[in-house]
Amino acid sequence: MTAPDPDGLLAEQLLRLTRRVHRIQKRHLEHRDLGITPAQSRLLRTLAHYGSPPRMADLAKRLEVVPRAVTTLVDGLEAAGKVRRVPDPANRRVIRIELTDDGRAALRELRGARRSAAEEILAPLTDEQRAVLGGLLDTLIDGPGADPGEGRRTA
């Protein structure tokens, strides 16, 4: 009989938690009837962090996906009126992606859905356990040797 692999067990727990978070978020999105997939939601949230409309290549890099995946997401969001393609003022051959008013409204709804999902997932934890979990997750996300104040979670 072999000894249990604690790192393997932790990795499995993290994968199971990730899948659970995804399922719960998806359910909360569906209840709000936004017609937005989790991947589109991620693109909208990412887009909102830019000061000015980014290029699709910028979004692909930030999302760590291939540009074709961003094109598909933008196509769907544009058809739903959440984003629009606009020419770059300095180079008309470059297309930038910007949020529409409907996209900003959808982002507000998405934040509510994410907050509800987080409340559901974290319900079994005390405030102290949540603080410890947050610190542990920051360490795992930022990696060893990262500045503790850098890359902190935001609501």
Side-chain angles (χ1 to χ4, degrees):
M1 187 155 117
T2 61
D5 173 16
D7 288 341
L9 292 173
L10 281 173
E12 181 60 29
Q13 286 177 303
L14 286 170
L15 290 172
R16 287 176 47 213
L17 178 59
T18 300
R19 286 191 294 265
R20 182 168 183 247
V21 167
H22 182 78
R23 274 192 318 273
I24 290 172
Q25 262 192 321
K26 187 175 178 182
R27 181 169 37 85
H28 281 268
L29 282 174
E30 288 168 354
H31 284 173
R32 291 179 184 255
D33 199 26
L34 293 172
I36 295 174
T37 67
Q40 289 173 330
S41 164
R42 185 171 173 236
L43 186 137
L44 285 175
R45 288 190 322 271
T46 301
L47 189 54
H49 288 293
Y50 282 91
S52 61
R55 299 172 306 137
M56 285 217 246
D58 299 328
L59 287 168
K61 185 175 179 181
R62 173 91 51 101
L63 293 168
E64 298 177 343
V65 298
V66 296
R68 177 69 192 132
V70 171
T71 300
T72 301
L73 293 172
V74 168
D75 287 346
L77 288 168
E78 187 175 39
K82 308 293 188 232
V83 301
R84 69 177 147 253
R85 289 172 166 93
V86 294
D88 183 304
N91 182 349
R92 293 184 52 85
R93 291 176 296 166
V94 174
I95 299 296
R96 296 192 174 268
I97 309 303
E98 71 179 7
L99 283 169
T100 62
D101 289 340
D102 282 351
R104 282 185 273 287
L107 266 174
R108 286 189 294 277
E109 286 292 317
L110 290 169
R111 286 183 185 113
R114 290 183 77 207
R115 200 169 13 266
S116 297
E119 288 170 6
E120 181 178 336
I121 291 163
L122 298 172
L125 301 179
T126 66
D127 288 344
E128 183 179 322
Q129 288 171 322
R130 290 176 188 209
V132 169
L133 177 61
L136 293 170
L137 290 173
D138 279 341
T139 300
L140 293 174
I141 291 165
D142 297 337
D147 177 357
E150 191 177 308
R152 281 288 178 234
R153 297 177 311 278
T154 58

